[in-house]
Amino acid sequence: MTVPQRWPLPTMAFGGDWNPDQWPREVWQHDITLMRELGVNLLSLPVFAWPQLEPSEGEYRTDWLAEILDALDAAGIGVALATGTATPPAWLVRAHPEMLPVRADGVRLDFGSRQSYCPSSPVFRAKVAALTTILATRFGDHPALRLWHVSNEYGDHISRCWCEVCAASFRRWLLRRHGSLAGINAAWGTKVWGQLYTDVEQIEVPRVTPGPDNPARLLDFERFCSDNVLELFRLELDILGELTPGVPRTTNFMGLFHDLDYWRFAAVEDLVSNDAYPDPGNTASHTDIALSYGLMRSLKSRPWLLIESAPSAVSWRPVNVPKAPGQLRAHALQAVAHGSDGAMFFQWRAARTGPERFHSAILGHRGEASRSFAEASQLAADLATLAPVAGSRVRSSVAMVVDWDTIWALRPDASLPAEISWHAEAYQHHAALHQLGLAVDSVALPGSDLSRYAVVVAPTLYVTSDAQAEALTEFVRGGGTLVVGAFSGVVNECEQVHAGGPPGPLRELLGVEVDEQWPLLETDEQIVEFDSGARTVGRFWAEWIEPSDDVEVVAHYDGRPLHDLPAITRRRLGEGAAYYVSAGLPLDSLTPWLHQVCAEAGVDVRMSANPSVEVVTRTDGATDYVFVINHAPTPAEARGPADADVLLAPDGDPPVRRASGLSITLPPFGVAVLRMPSTTPSLHHVHSIEV
């Protein structure tokens, strides 16, 4: 029987990590009183309290936690109860030093930070299961429990381990994936460089080698490591699901994290939650973070939860710039605009000791006098006002392919023609779409419903399977517009170059063949000329491509070495069109070109006069909620429909309603939220907001 999972709160979540185990008892009640005054309704605890929960082997102490949960329940504050398994205690590590992780160079890492464990360790897994069972049994029916917070930031410090236990687990994983030793040899192409294995026990994890490693082995190891941590996650999920059915379970993701395939992780949990730390010292950080928010709302096609963010400065950047006045609010409400049903912070009270003692908190070291406390108070009021937005979805007509095989395979040590990064290309394409006022979802291939979108962008799909090519072909035939970036369709799932070369299974869809990749030196200037006559200098990459007869050349190379060869092509197929972009385009050229592509695909698109102002729409089908966010330290102007209702007004001058439209003055880092009837069920529609 499947038990329906409930959303942890009936409104927007507000709160954060609380670590009462780090403070004396007299602080607890004072904190709870302040939380209640501030409007906190959800806390995550006790994330790092395993030593207090189990101070010695099999000696469990949970009364102190029960006291805290009772007090929070009396105050009307819900709890995302952490399983406390993120870091094993010192007594466990010293009793079982073999559970410590090992680096690729053979060095075993010692205790003294967090995540001091090998994900494969049977000792660690057994103790994790025991502690999770104790907490679920003791607190599974506690009235304060809203959500299970499993472990913490899987893979942040340890996602890969090169110990003998992992090597044995890797061999078992390989046999399950490839069926036999012969299957492994065939998949890895081990006859090259004399790497043929005659016994499965000869296979090791890819430790440091004299020269370039087998790229197929490296890719399989990445997959194994992600699956290995997923196995650890599922260990706790299964226990919680059995003992506390109906209580949603999550673990906090970390945006577009390289090490773990979040499509697979999200598939087994009930609620997607995410940690987000946009850099206040980077003027483009709001653009970059929006890409990861698109992934979060797409992983389960429903609202997600910002479970960690910084009220101001963090403690782990080379220069930890604080947030300017108003930026706490702008960053938090940007996450809400992009589908989060709340905003939570790390942490409630600033720590006086440890590695994060200079990390900001709602209650800074000055307590209630801290600027962050005052700004968090305003945000709490905003989130209460935005309660009607909870449960609604983001309007989006454009999606980006996010594929971890390609993310992992495009690595500097993989003997590629040049360094090329999925993340770099994804952020470049997303920055262009963001400037066009488009909220970009994420899709997996195969698996996601592409028919929901007018345009799908694959910045680079280096690893391409037949199933992925079929999904994209069906999308285009059905009327979709596809944009495929350079170095796509190069290899299959085993890192083997497709027969006939790139773009492999995408060849028929795109109508091109790639004769050679042509990476550019920094001193090279390969001109790209569009059919409109506009010209630009390509960046870092070009390709010698040859199109079939039914393919249109949208742009060509001008000047040597690729003079007059196609740079961008379009092939019409069925009701749609597929573009191939063989050139690395700079942002100032990519943006207007994607504007044209999206407009021709019927997408409501605008060239923003002020790229610092972001407009995102959430809808529940009956009502649209339009967020207008100024990410700049200077005022900005916006204009909306005259009949729009102002749900959340910016600080300062109130919006002015005129016959020509609603005039909004946004102060530095100001936010306004407009409410209006939804005119169409289509998620493609975007209201006209001039900025």
Side-chain angles (χ1 to χ4, degrees):
M1 174 180 172
T2 301
V3 179
Q5 304 295 330
R6 63 177 186 266
W7 180 255
L9 294 170
T11 186
M12 289 284 175
F14 172 69
D17 279 53
W18 186 36
N19 295 287
D21 48 295
Q22 299 175 14
W23 296 92
R25 253 183 177 78
E26 56 265 26
V27 176
W28 297 358
Q29 193 55 56
H30 178 62
D31 277 356
I32 292 173
T33 300
L34 288 177
M35 291 173 190
R36 190 171 183 178
E37 291 175 1
L38 199 64
V40 168
N41 56 22
L42 188 64
L43 292 171
S44 186
L45 73 138
V47 175
F48 296 110
W50 191 341
Q52 291 91 319
L53 293 166
E54 188 183 7
S56 62
E57 177 75 39
E59 178 195 359
Y60 295 102
R61 296 181 182 177
T62 58
D63 288 349
W64 65 271
L65 182 55
E67 179 184 344
I68 290 169
L69 294 184
D70 290 345
L72 290 172
D73 180 54
I77 299 172
V79 173
L81 190 58
T83 56
T85 55
T87 295
W91 63 260
L92 177 57
V93 171
R94 294 308 177 214
H96 296 279
E98 73 279 5
M99 64 177 278
L100 288 167
V102 174
R103 295 191 320 202
D105 61 2
V107 173
R108 189 177 292 274
L109 303 177
D110 205 346
F111 182 82
S113 184
R114 59 182 185 176
Q115 295 187 355
S116 303
Y117 62 81
C118 162
S120 301
S121 167
V123 172
F124 178 66
R125 291 190 176 195
K127 293 303 296 180
V128 162
L131 180 58
T132 303
T133 301
I134 289 291
L135 292 178
T137 302
R138 177 74 194 270
F139 301 113
D141 59 356
H142 196 284
L145 179 62
R146 301 287 184 273
L147 171 70
W148 284 110
H149 178 163
V150 178
S151 190
N152 185 73
E153 293 185 334
Y154 278 117
D156 184 31
H157 300 290
I158 289 296
S159 64
R160 280 102 176 91
C161 176
W162 287 261
C163 73
E164 289 299 333
V165 177
C166 282
S169 297
F170 184 42
R171 294 180 198 111
R172 291 191 294 271
W173 182 93
L174 288 169
L175 289 172
R176 289 194 299 271
R177 179 175 178 84
H178 299 293
S180 64
L181 178 61
I184 298 170
N185 276 315
W188 288 6
T190 53
K191 291 181 180 178
V192 175
W193 280 16
Q195 295 178 10
L196 187 71
Y197 297 101
T198 57
D199 190 306
V200 73
E201 294 299 317
Q202 297 166 1
I203 298 175
E204 290 288 349
V205 290
R207 301 188 180 96
V208 178
T209 57
D213 207 330
N214 185 326
R217 179 170 81 138
L218 295 175
L219 179 54
D220 265 351
F221 185 65
E222 298 283 354
R223 292 172 174 141
F224 157 73
C225 289
S226 180
D227 284 354
N228 198 32
V229 177
L230 177 59
E231 199 173 85
L232 183 61
F233 181 34
R234 296 193 68 160
L235 171 68
E236 296 196 55
L237 288 179
D238 291 346
I239 293 169
L240 297 172
E242 180 180 349
L243 296 178
T244 61
V247 180
R249 303 156 298 171
T250 192
T251 191
N252 43 336
F253 293 161
M254 295 175 287
L256 286 162
F257 184 53
H258 171 278
D259 290 10
L260 305 179
D261 183 344
Y262 281 157
W263 292 111
R264 294 173 63 83
F265 275 71
V268 300
E269 65 179 1
D270 305 306
L271 167 69
V272 170
S273 63
N274 185 49
D275 298 351
Y277 292 93
D279 184 357
N282 177 5
T283 57
S285 64
H286 67 283
T287 299
D288 293 345
I289 204 71
L291 177 57
S292 72
Y293 292 162
L295 172 64
M296 293 305 129
R297 66 173 175 263
S298 303
L299 287 170
K300 296 185 85 69
S301 295
R302 66 181 72 155
W304 55 283
L305 178 61
L306 177 65
I307 203 168
E308 261 194 43
S309 57
S312 190
V314 298
S315 60
W316 37 265
R317 292 190 176 107
V319 179
N320 294 300
V321 177
K323 293 186 178 180
Q327 212 166 11
L328 177 156
R329 182 172 181 252
H331 282 175
L333 294 183
Q334 182 191 21
V336 173
H338 283 277
S340 174
D341 274 2
M344 299 175 66
F345 296 92
F346 181 84
Q347 56 182 324
W348 164 257
R349 180 179 284 276
R352 294 180 60 195
T353 61
E356 293 179 309
R357 66 198 187 281
F358 297 121
H359 194 291
S360 61
I362 293 176
L363 269 181
H365 291 297
R366 297 178 64 221
E368 299 96 304
S370 302
R371 177 172 65 90
S372 54
F373 185 77
E375 294 202 26
S377 178
Q378 180 186 11
L379 175 64
D382 292 339
L383 292 173
T385 301
L386 295 174
V389 180
S392 62
R393 293 182 58 184
V394 174
R395 287 193 180 276
S396 176
S397 55
V398 179
M400 184 175 291
V401 178
V402 180
D403 178 73
W404 260 269
D405 276 359
T406 287
I407 290 172
W408 290 328
L410 288 176
R411 50 192 297 161
D413 57 352
S415 303
L416 302 174
E419 258 189 54
I420 183 170
S421 158
W422 180 87
H423 280 86
E425 294 310 293
Y427 282 123
Q428 176 84 349
H429 283 74
H430 178 263
L433 294 166
H434 194 262
Q435 284 192 19
L436 301 177
L438 298 172
V440 181
D441 283 357
S442 298
V443 289
L445 297 176
S448 297
D449 179 11
L450 303 187
S451 66
R452 290 169 42 192
Y453 303 100
V455 177
V456 169
V457 178
T460 178
L461 196 59
Y462 170 70
V463 180
T464 309
S465 68
D466 290 342
Q468 290 174 319
E470 290 170 9
L472 292 174
T473 301
E474 182 180 351
F475 166 69
V476 174
R477 285 189 187 278
T481 296
L482 173 67
V483 177
V484 178
F487 212 40
S488 293
V490 181
V491 299
N492 64 14
E493 305 95 313
C494 297
E495 278 273 23
Q496 298 168 350
V497 175
H498 284 293
L506 298 173
R507 187 176 299 118
E508 182 178 349
L509 170 61
L510 299 174
V512 300
E513 294 190 6
V514 179
D515 188 78
E516 284 184 295
Q517 291 89 31
W518 210 293
L520 305 173
L521 299 172
E522 289 185 8
T523 55
D524 292 340
E525 284 198 358
Q526 180 63 73
I527 303 297
V528 176
E529 182 172 329
F530 295 86
D531 52 10
S532 64
R535 292 162 63 86
T536 189
V537 177
R539 62 181 187 91
F540 96 91
W541 192 271
E543 291 177 351
W544 183 307
I545 64 173
E546 298 185 2
S548 56
D549 293 339
D550 61 347
V551 169
E552 306 165 67
V553 176
V554 175
H556 65 272
Y557 294 110
D558 186 24
R560 295 185 180 278
L562 303 178
H563 184 66
D564 240 15
L565 289 173
I568 304 175
T569 59
R570 175 175 58 202
R571 181 167 187 256
R572 300 188 186 277
L573 184 66
E575 300 298 317
Y579 291 86
Y580 184 62
V581 186
S582 72
L585 298 178
L587 187 60
D588 59 1
S589 297
L590 182 61
T591 303
W593 181 71
L594 283 175
H595 179 282
Q596 178 183 339
V597 170
C598 291
E600 290 178 358
V603 176
D604 290 330
V605 65
R606 61 180 172 82
M607 283 288 286
S608 175
N610 186 348
S612 294
V613 177
E614 182 177 23
V615 180
V616 185
T617 300
R618 290 183 65 165
T619 184
D620 61 13
T623 303
D624 287 352
Y625 304 93
V626 184
F627 289 71
V628 187
I629 307 170
N630 180 16
H631 292 284
T634 53
E637 301 294 326
R639 185 181 297 275
D643 58 348
D645 176 31
V646 181
L647 178 61
L648 186 68
D651 291 341
D653 297 334
V656 178
R657 199 178 302 276
R658 298 187 177 93
S660 59
L662 189 68
S663 180
I664 306 168
T665 298
L666 296 165
F669 305 111
V671 180
V673 180
L674 309 181
R675 177 171 53 189
M676 58 197 78
S678 180
T679 57
T680 170
S682 170
L683 292 174
H684 295 186
H685 174 71
V686 178
H687 289 281
S688 176
I689 306 292
E690 297 178 18
V691 298

